[in-house]
Amino acid sequence: MSSTDAVPEVHPATTTGLASSGNSVLSDEGASSATDPLASAAAVKRTLHRYLQKHRAALLGKLDGLAERQARWPVTPTGTNVLGLVKHVAGVQAGYFGEVFGRPLPDPPAWLESEDGEDMYATLDETLDDVVAFHHRSAAHADATIEALDLDARGTVPWWPEEHREVTLHRILVHMAYETARHAGHADIVREMLDGLAGDGDGNLADKSPEAWVLWREQLVDIAERSGLRGLAT
């Protein structure tokens, strides 16, 4: 069997907007010498919020061009799929920027309270558009909380261990930027395995032709195979 069997041809994403922004342009923090602590806190909040928004956009961008079946297709042994990742992040976001700060999302879906993994896939009754619409609703609600509160605003995470439940908006912004980026990275890999779409259009993907990517992967396969023979010859 060829090492390229079942490996899709690579084609780079051409995402526009915030998802394709380089990390260096997501913050103006430090651009001025202002010593006003309120201005400094506002700059920090703006930076964290922009990173969160970039990773949200990158995650949603991995659904672009996918049919319902592709969007739901489980690529890993644990069932990871692009649409499930979008649904999961939308649900987590609703909780952290909603319930935690006493601003629960109005009319939440029943699955939001489920502990059976219902947030990791879309049911037959849910369409791709339904999940995307909920993600947008969750994001808008989260953004309203971020805009309304100061970085040091206090909240409580009831599902965390009791000794760690008391948090600030600052901590939750960091937590959700990390959470969203982590799952956007999962979606990167799943989408590559589905049809070869790679990157976010932000310049971080090497500029190679589809043919060059094949040769690149073949080189890595060769290294892996040869390293596996190390020590076998006596």
Side-chain angles (χ1 to χ4, degrees), residues 12 20 29-30 36 42 71 78 90 106 108 110 165 173 185 197 205 228:
S20 60
E29 190 180 347
D36 181 354
T78 55
R165 288 178 181 173
L173 265 168
L197 183 79
L205 182 70

Side-chain angles (χ1 to χ4, degrees), residues 45 48 96-97 101 142 145-155 167-174:
K45 185 169 84 164
L48 292 172
Y96 278 113
F97 291 111
F101 295 101
T145 294
I146 294 166
E147 291 296 330
L149 302 180
D150 293 330
L151 275 181
D152 59 359
R154 309 293 296 186
V167 296
T168 61
L169 177 66
H170 190 162
R171 182 173 181 184
I172 295 304
L173 265 168
V174 171

Side-chain angles (χ1 to χ4, degrees), residues 16-233:
T16 58
L18 195 56
S20 60
S21 298
N23 289 341
S24 61
V25 301
L26 290 178
S27 176
D28 53 12
E29 190 180 347
S32 69
S33 58
T35 57
D36 181 354
L38 292 179
S40 177
V44 170
K45 185 169 84 164
R46 192 160 55 246
T47 293
L48 292 172
H49 195 182
R50 285 176 179 171
Y51 272 86
L52 174 60
Q53 290 171 322
K54 172 183 169 63
H55 295 312
R56 273 188 202 147
L59 175 59
L60 279 173
K62 294 303 171 179
L63 286 172
D64 290 349
L66 289 182
E68 290 277 354
R69 182 177 183 274
Q70 286 178 304
R72 300 163 185 269
W73 195 256
V75 169
T76 70
T78 55
T80 307
N81 62 95
V82 180
L83 193 57
L85 289 168
V86 172
K87 182 178 177 180
H88 171 72
V89 169
V92 171
Q93 177 173 248
Y96 278 113
F97 291 111
E99 182 181 353
V100 167
F101 295 101
R103 300 167 58 93
L105 182 73
D107 302 315
W111 59 261
L112 210 54
E113 300 298 324
S114 172
E115 297 181 358
D116 295 328
E118 291 182 37
D119 64 330
M120 297 302 297
Y121 69 96
T123 67
L124 278 175
D125 294 330
E126 295 174 303
T127 67
L128 188 156
D129 288 344
D130 290 336
V131 173
V132 170
F134 177 71
H135 189 283
H136 286 317
R137 183 159 76 93
S138 167
H141 184 260
D143 288 346
T145 294
I146 294 166
E147 291 296 330
L149 302 180
D150 293 330
L151 275 181
D152 59 359
R154 309 293 296 186
T156 303
V157 185
W159 52 89
W160 282 9
E162 188 171 353
E163 65 272 20
H164 298 294
R165 288 178 181 173
E166 300 305 311
V167 296
T168 61
L169 177 66
H170 190 162
R171 182 173 181 184
I172 295 304
L173 265 168
V174 171
H175 182 82
M176 273 309 304
Y178 160 79
E179 175 95 359
T180 306
R182 179 171 183 265
H183 291 309
H186 293 155
D188 280 340
I189 303 302
V190 173
R191 183 64 192 261
E192 270 196 58
M193 295 304 295
L194 288 172
D195 66 359
L197 183 79
D200 298 325
D202 60 0
N204 286 332
L205 182 70
D207 185 15
K208 299 179 187 290
S209 68
E211 296 75 20
W213 281 117
V214 171
L215 294 175
W216 172 260
R217 186 177 182 280
E218 288 289 347
Q219 175 186 342
L220 302 185
V221 168
D222 179 62
I223 292 171
E225 294 284 14
R226 290 165 62 189
S227 71
L229 298 175
R230 196 175 288 149
L232 294 181

